Amino acid sequence: MALLSISEPSQKYKTGTVIGIDLGTTHSLAVAAVESLINPLKKWQPINQGDGPLLASAIFYGVNEILVGSDAIAAQANNTEGVLITSIKRFMGKSSADIPANEQHRWDLSDPKLPRLKTPHGLISAIEVSAQILKTLKKNVELQSNQGRKVSSAVVTVPAYFDEAQRQATRDAMRLAGMQTLRLLNEPTAAALAYGLEQEVQGTYLVYDLGGGTFDVSILSLQASVFEVLATAGDTALGGDDIDDALVEYWLYQSPEIIAHTNEIALLQDKLALRQRMRQAKEALSIENSIKVTWRNHSIILTREILNQVAEKLIQRTLKICDAALLDAKLLKKDINHIILVGGSTRLNLVQTLLTQWFGREPLHNVDPDIVVALGAGYQARQLSEVTDNQRLLLDVTPLSLGIETMGGLVEKIIPRNTPLPVTRAQKFTTYQDGQTALSIHIVQGEREQVEHCRSLGQFILQGIPPMVAGAARIEVTFTVDVDGLLTVSAEETETNIKTHIQINPASGLEESAIISMLKAGVQYAAEDVAERILAEKRLDAEQLLTAIHSAIEEDAHLLDDEERQRIKQAMTDLQQIMTTTQTDKITEQTEVLNHLTEPFAGRRMDERIRRALSGKSIDQIEISLGNK
């Protein structure tokens, strides 16, 4: 596939400080350019968040206060009236229907499109919670700026598998925090960008990103200053939080008397505190071989071996996803030159051991996995805000195929998955019925062949099409996906230049694991889908033939004798009956029979129209008419 160049914004952002932000599930951080008195070149560094570069993605809504980060976690331990919110990233762009049953008690679900958390400060959406984290990052950068400059814009990273709704929710949170989104950058791409710029390492990267709430893997190629994303895969419901939850369940299994004497609501609240304790123990076991965990006057010894047993099944899931990405990129394990680790969960010894065994090479350790994504965002922010001597071209890709619904409930894919961004693709369509003056454009996302198995993104109607016979109109549908992964669809009738468009900003995201499930289903049901598509197309061809013949008989019945008319009608009846079955070959065969049977009739109709057209004209008039043609 030819590389597509990216047109960067012509406006350069020099009115304020531009930063890079990693808005994470468990931790977030910002990087900013700082001036060195020794070296005048700009260097990017993480901004201290009070007790280090990482800001816990936790918000405490108390009766009289709102706290963010480690202060929020500390406040929750001493204040039972407040509400501690963590891992809010998992709920960005979600609808009320997407909230898991075990979480619903914390949410107000009266608005189907926008669930809100119940807090002492009222109902708060996931977007508003994320905005509190972003405001804190922004404030800390501004406080540490030696020139007192305000933050105006940022490059913000998102999981590669965030869909349009989740990406739009991130942009909305940025706007609430008082910043412009310079670009949404996929997290694995940001990590590879940081390595490529800082270390000048060329070749093929596999970026293994195991964060708190999501897992992403991307395969990228860096050659001659061009980053091309070859493939992406991931699971939006697999991360370090799941390992923490598994450790909580292990602890409770070892302590049945705790469950027996605790009511359900209290147990849910206690699990949040226990999860934090287990997260700390997990992090300690990346250095220690064992640690004593005490909670509610009960202690157990947690060892690295136990941690590995609990986590191995989850890590094995990530390796299978890596294999899927390799398959999409048409590469083998031996083709990977460098493995980059991203996310605090990759500090687990088991992750590094299994990756080394799986790929036959050790992952890179040059950059701290906690800050590598933010550094990549910072480098990209610099490129978009000023001219540099060493520009890098980024080519991200679409995670799922995009297309429209056609007759018969079929999906016509216009932009296949893993197409480099930005991209514009157009395709021509036509009307189905005579005199049709409007066309409904239904946009879908997914890998299946039928609309019912894909996700609906939106619909709009192109009106004002001149009435013509079916198939005569020419409607060009254009899909454009920008560098942030946001989609715009337009439709134009090419004869009259009548045009309309829609920007896809869905009100809710996919359910947990929906994206990876759609990809798996696309592979699992590939053969079945192709068979169903062929059947649907054959039925559609047959239906169009029946409609055309019925119309022709009504108009030119005098060109048929009784016996011929009877044979054609019987063949039409036979075709209508066979269309109700799933016998594709039989439908094709009967369609050909009817086509062959009506060929003489079609010939006589053509002769009749030619005679009518030439009636009353001289040879000279005909020659002049032909000459003008």
Side-chain angles (χ1 to χ4, degrees):
M1 180 181 292
L3 298 182
L4 304 178
S5 62
I6 289 179
S7 175
E8 302 292 5
S10 58
Q11 178 185 359
K12 299 300 180 181
Y13 297 85
K14 295 186 178 293
T15 57
T17 302
V18 178
I19 64 175
I21 293 177
D22 176 7
L23 184 61
T25 305
T26 55
H27 292 95
S28 299
L29 68 154
V31 299
V34 295
E35 294 288 353
S36 168
L37 296 176
I38 300 174
N39 186 345
L41 296 177
K42 287 189 173 183
K43 302 293 184 182
W44 289 85
Q45 71 175 30
I47 298 302
N48 192 292
Q49 303 298 328
D51 52 1
L54 300 182
L55 176 72
S57 298
I59 303 90
F60 178 76
Y61 288 91
V63 176
N64 299 311
E65 60 186 355
I66 298 176
L67 301 173
V68 179
S70 57
D71 291 342
I73 296 172
Q76 192 267 345
N78 303 314
N79 191 329
T80 58
E81 295 182 1
V83 173
L84 178 68
I85 299 172
T86 59
S87 301
I88 195 62
K89 185 175 177 178
R90 282 189 166 185
F91 300 99
M92 291 289 280
K94 302 298 183 181
S95 70
S96 294
D98 298 326
I99 305 300
N102 64 343
E103 290 274 357
Q104 290 180 3
H105 67 282
R106 304 173 59 203
W107 295 80
D108 178 272
L109 306 177
S110 57
D111 185 338
K113 293 184 178 180
L114 189 64
R116 290 179 171 87
L117 283 153
K118 302 170 184 175
T119 79
H121 289 251
L123 301 178
I124 308 292
S125 70
I127 293 172
E128 294 170 285
V129 175
S130 291
Q132 289 289 348
I133 299 171
L134 291 166
K135 284 178 183 178
T136 302
L137 294 172
K138 176 177 182 287
K139 179 187 70 175
N140 289 340
V141 172
E142 292 173 343
L143 287 175
Q144 294 174 59
S145 171
N146 57 8
Q147 297 177 351
R149 300 185 71 185
K150 298 298 183 182
V151 172
S152 61
S153 311
V155 170
V156 187
T157 61
V158 293
Y161 267 70
F162 257 24
D163 67 2
E164 284 83 1
Q166 292 163 307
R167 290 170 187 267
Q168 187 59 44
T170 304
R171 296 172 74 97
D172 291 343
M174 280 287 290
R175 190 158 46 246
L176 283 178
M179 289 180 285
Q180 180 181 357
T181 303
L182 200 51
R183 175 171 295 178
L184 297 179
L185 184 63
N186 286 346
E187 290 164 1
T189 307
L193 183 61
Y195 264 90
L197 282 176
E198 186 168 89
Q199 308 297 331
E200 293 298 331
V201 180
Q202 304 287 309
T204 303
Y205 295 74
L206 183 140
V207 183
Y208 180 98
D209 184 356
L210 185 61
T214 60
F215 171 71
D216 287 301
V217 58
S218 288
I219 299 174
L220 308 94
S221 172
L222 172 58
Q223 299 294 337
S225 298
V226 176
F227 265 117
E228 181 182 9
V229 182
L230 304 179
T232 65
D235 191 333
T236 58
L238 175 60
D241 286 352
D242 299 286
I243 298 175
D244 299 339
D245 288 339
L247 288 172
V248 168
E249 294 305 318
Y250 174 82
W251 196 95
L252 293 174
Y253 177 77
Q254 299 294 322
S255 313
E257 67 277 11
I258 297 292
I259 301 177
H261 297 89
T262 307
N263 64 56
E264 186 175 351
I265 294 177
L267 187 60
L268 284 172
Q269 293 172 341
D270 284 350
K271 275 186 176 183
L272 293 174
L274 181 55
R275 180 202 268 187
Q276 181 64 24
R277 192 73 54 85
M278 285 301 184
R279 181 176 297 160
Q280 294 168 349
K282 176 187 70 176
E283 293 168 356
L285 286 173
S286 64
I287 302 173
E288 307 291 337
N289 288 319
S290 65
I291 187 170
K292 184 178 181 180
V293 181
T294 302
W295 184 69
R296 294 187 63 176
N297 300 319
H298 185 79
S299 298
I300 65 170
I301 300 297
L302 193 64
T303 66
R304 186 180 294 176
E305 183 180 0
I306 292 172
L307 172 60
N308 289 346
Q309 290 173 356
V310 168
E312 184 169 8
K313 186 176 180 180
L314 294 169
I315 306 306
Q316 289 291 349
R317 280 172 56 189
T318 69
L319 297 177
K320 291 179 181 178
I321 296 172
C322 289
D323 277 350
L326 284 170
L327 185 64
D328 283 343
K330 298 180 175 61
L331 295 175
L332 301 175
K333 292 177 183 177
K334 65 181 180 64
D335 297 322
I336 300 299
N337 302 120
H338 315 286
I339 301 170
I340 295 175
L341 298 180
V342 178
S345 297
T346 62
R347 297 184 188 278
L348 286 177
N349 301 87
L350 179 66
V351 169
Q352 299 177 33
T353 300
L354 291 180
L355 275 173
T356 301
Q357 293 173 355
W358 199 261
F359 288 96
R361 70 178 68 249
E362 289 189 15
L364 297 175
H365 298 279
N366 308 59
V367 183
D368 185 339
D370 281 325
I371 68 172
V372 63
V373 168
L375 285 176
Y379 286 130
Q380 182 66 5
R382 181 185 177 189
Q383 283 196 301
L384 298 182
S385 61
E386 60 185 58
V387 178
T388 64
D389 295 331
N390 196 15
Q391 295 280 348
R392 288 294 189 272
L393 177 62
L394 291 180
L395 298 175
D396 256 325
V397 297
T398 55
L400 291 169
S401 298
L402 297 164
I404 69 170
E405 178 180 359
T406 59
M407 288 303 301
L410 300 178
V411 177
E412 183 65 26
K413 294 183 178 71
I414 294 179
I415 299 181
R417 66 182 295 256
N418 282 332
T419 298
L421 300 180
V423 62
T424 296
R425 294 278 176 87
Q427 193 164 328
K428 284 189 169 65
F429 297 88
T430 190
T431 50
Y432 178 71
Q433 296 178 330
D434 291 344
Q436 187 173 336
T437 59
L439 196 71
S440 177
I441 311 294
H442 181 200
I443 303 124
V444 295
Q445 182 180 41
E447 304 310 308
R448 303 288 297 274
E449 297 292 335
Q450 288 78 35
V451 168
E452 61 181 312
H453 299 311
C454 292
R455 184 197 182 203
S456 174
L457 293 182
Q459 298 187 53
F460 65 102
I461 296 175
L462 177 66
Q463 296 179 321
I465 301 172
M468 310 179 195
V469 296
R474 291 292 178 269
I475 293 92
E476 185 170 77
V477 178
T478 303
F479 277 48
T480 299
V481 186
D482 67 14
V483 290
D484 292 332
L486 300 176
L487 170 66
T488 300
V489 180
S490 64
E492 180 180 11
E493 203 290 307
T494 56
E495 292 295 323
T496 60
N497 295 325
I498 294 173
K499 188 174 183 178
T500 187
H501 75 281
I502 184 174
Q503 183 169 338
I504 304 300
N505 292 322
S508 64
L510 298 177
E511 297 178 0
E512 292 292 341
S513 303
I515 295 177
I516 195 68
S517 296
M518 291 169 76
L519 291 175
K520 288 179 179 177
V523 174
Q524 180 180 354
Y525 298 106
E528 179 183 328
D529 282 356
V530 169
E532 288 185 8
R533 184 182 184 96
I534 292 173
L535 175 61
E537 288 175 343
K538 294 301 181 183
R539 284 174 172 168
L540 189 60
D541 290 343
E543 185 178 339
Q544 289 176 321
L545 178 62
L546 289 170
T547 300
I549 293 174
H550 179 76
S551 177
I553 291 176
E554 280 193 342
E555 187 175 347
D556 293 317
H558 63 282
L559 297 177
L560 291 169
D561 60 37
D562 291 342
E563 182 181 351
E564 193 175 23
R565 185 184 302 109
Q566 188 62 37
R567 287 201 304 271
I568 290 174
K569 286 189 174 181
Q570 183 59 50
M572 292 173 69
T573 300
D574 293 342
L575 180 56
Q576 286 172 329
Q577 290 175 347
I578 201 69
M579 281 171 60
T580 62
T581 73
T582 58
Q583 302 176 65
T584 304
D585 292 343
K586 292 289 186 182
I587 296 173
T588 302
E589 180 183 326
Q590 188 58 38
T591 301
E592 291 175 353
V593 167
L594 184 56
N595 256 322
H596 180 71
L597 194 60
T598 55
E599 281 178 0
F601 177 42
R604 290 196 289 273
R605 295 187 74 217
M606 180 67 72
D607 292 342
E608 177 81 4
R609 274 150 183 74
I610 292 174
R611 281 196 295 271
R612 291 176 186 171
L614 299 181
S615 178
K617 292 185 178 179
S618 66
I619 296 297
D620 290 341
Q621 289 175 317
I622 295 171
E623 288 178 346
I624 291 171
S625 178
L626 291 174
N628 290 336
K629 296 291 186 185

